[in-house]
Amino acid sequence: MFLNCLVALEKVTAPSFFQFKDRRYLSIMAESVSNNTGKKLVRIDVSSDTVCPWCFVGKRNLDKAIAASKDRFDFEIKWHPFFLNPSAPKEGVNKLDFYREKFGSRAEGILARMTEIFKGLGLEYNLSGLTGNTLDSHRLINFAGQQGLDKQHKLAEELFLGYFTQAKYVGDREFLLECAQKVGVEGAAKFLEDPNNGVKEVNEELEKYSAHITGVPFYVINGKQKLSGGQPPEVFQKAFEVSTK
């Protein structure tokens, strides 16, 4: 399933934009969302996996779109789990070896492209380290969200940054706690110590937000717009506009 993350956008040259009827980022820009600001509220649900490079690309572009729109909108962002490889081993495997086994002869081209895309974001794509099961990272993200969506959003950034640029492993308890401490998540060590903590919540989130999608990142904006893939900032900005009409 990791293929969905990398290849879904590999085939997309012009990001798509669809109508979707249904249905705290709280601001890196605003500490909390207030109905007294006079701004329209944009709620964003993000389905993502912590080992998906396009999810990090999409987050960075989403942040740019929010920064460019903060004078007009308030934002509320919530992160939801998705597993690209549910059966991935908890102990982790060599990241580069996994990519080569997964993608075969296409691996080098895919990885070279990701390196260039990350470079365009001012980041160095690090292929060292381990990849593997992401359940603990999703448990922690859900736990952080209970303490504030601003902490959750910042935690997602730290997890992505460590995994993709510093060769950290998202299944490593020490790394997870380091990220939690950086963004002020309290009680993370005790929470992660029990492997059952948060599993029920993660499964509920999977069923509610990710059961009917086949790849990530996936965004639902104000319950009216859906976007998939690492969209450029202007596509997010257009979705903000349309979703608040």
Side-chain angles (χ1 to χ4, degrees), residues 136-184:
D136 284 352
S137 66
H138 288 302
R139 290 169 57 217
L140 184 61
I141 289 171
N142 184 274
F143 182 64
Q146 297 172 28
Q147 298 183 24
L149 297 185
D150 55 338
K151 289 185 180 182
Q152 187 183 62
H153 191 73
K154 292 173 183 177
L155 177 63
E157 173 73 17
E158 292 298 331
L159 291 170
F160 284 139
L161 196 63
Y163 178 75
F164 288 111
T165 72
Q166 300 164 12
K168 302 289 187 177
Y169 173 43
V170 293
D172 177 60
R173 182 69 53 84
E174 184 177 340
F175 170 56
L176 294 175
L177 294 179
E178 176 186 316
C179 291
Q181 182 178 21
K182 284 183 178 179
V183 303

Side-chain angles (χ1 to χ4, degrees), residues 65-83:
I66 288 173
S69 307
K70 62 180 180 178
D71 59 332
R72 301 183 56 208
F73 305 111
D74 282 326
F75 294 91
E76 179 182 298
I77 301 177
K78 188 169 184 181
W79 290 77
H80 307 290
F82 186 90
F83 293 100

Side-chain angles (χ1 to χ4, degrees), residues 36-95:
N36 298 322
T37 64
K39 302 176 187 177
K40 293 182 178 180
L41 177 63
V42 177
R43 292 186 174 92
I44 306 172
D45 289 291
V46 185
S47 292
S48 167
D49 200 0
T50 46
V51 294
C52 165
W54 285 111
C55 295
F56 191 18
V57 172
K59 182 194 175 296
R60 283 297 182 95
N61 288 340
L62 176 62
D63 287 348
K64 289 180 181 178
I66 288 173
S69 307
K70 62 180 180 178
D71 59 332
R72 301 183 56 208
F73 305 111
D74 282 326
F75 294 91
E76 179 182 298
I77 301 177
K78 188 169 184 181
W79 290 77
H80 307 290
F82 186 90
F83 293 100
L84 288 166
N85 188 1
S87 61
K90 185 175 178 59
E91 63 273 16
V93 296
N94 182 277
K95 189 188 298 183

Side-chain angles (χ1 to χ4, degrees), residues 87-105:
S87 61
K90 185 175 178 59
E91 63 273 16
V93 296
N94 182 277
K95 189 188 298 183
L96 189 54
D97 288 347
F98 173 79
Y99 291 162
R100 286 171 172 162
E101 181 178 351
K102 184 73 176 180
F103 301 115
S105 61

